[in-house]
Amino acid sequence: MVDAAVAPEPSLDPELVRALRALSNPVRLQLLSWLREPERHFVLDGAIADPAEVGVCVTHIQATVGLAQSTVSAYMAELQRAGLVTATRVGKWTHYKRDEERIAQLVATLGRTL
């Protein structure tokens, strides 16, 4: 029986929930991990931007993960909505880079929440 005088648990931070939902997909989790060291995990031949400064082009991500461009774009858009990566357009190509500051904030929030 629940005591009516006990205050309800505070709701979870919606941004944290969104990030955890994005990371619940193993491929998205792997992509975020690979973006930590792009030169190590992606073949960057023909890259038009510095992967450390601007990010990795969807084309290079697609070549590594072996999924359709539309699937990779959808996965990266989900990571972006969750605040885990930033997107930068270079010409007609979109490049993705980890948002290290935001990831650190989410890890800290997770630590306080759990």
Side-chain angles (χ1 to χ4, degrees):
M1 184 169 178
V2 176
D3 186 335
V6 174
E9 288 291 321
S11 62
L12 292 176
D13 179 345
E15 291 182 19
L16 177 62
V17 171
R18 188 176 304 116
L20 291 174
R21 187 173 296 126
L23 295 174
S24 70
N25 177 292
V27 175
R28 288 192 297 258
L29 181 60
Q30 184 67 65
L31 292 173
L32 187 65
S33 175
W34 285 343
L35 285 171
R36 178 177 276 192
E37 298 177 278
E39 294 87 358
R40 179 176 171 204
H41 296 287
F42 299 100
V43 177
L44 299 169
D45 296 341
I48 61 172
D50 181 351
E53 291 296 316
V54 178
V56 178
C57 180
V58 168
T59 303
H60 293 109
I61 297 170
Q62 176 191 2
T64 299
V65 76
L67 297 172
Q69 182 273 329
S70 59
T71 302
V72 171
S73 291
Y75 282 172
M76 298 311 297
E78 182 69 22
L79 290 172
Q80 182 183 14
R81 283 191 296 275
L84 300 167
V85 299
T86 58
T88 302
R89 294 282 294 181
V90 178
K92 63 181 181 175
W93 294 277
T94 303
H95 292 66
Y96 290 95
K97 179 181 173 183
R98 288 168 51 105
D99 186 337
E100 297 296 346
E101 184 176 322
R102 184 71 185 118
I103 291 169
Q105 291 170 352
L106 289 167
V107 168
T109 300
L110 183 61
R112 288 190 307 273
T113 303
L114 296 180

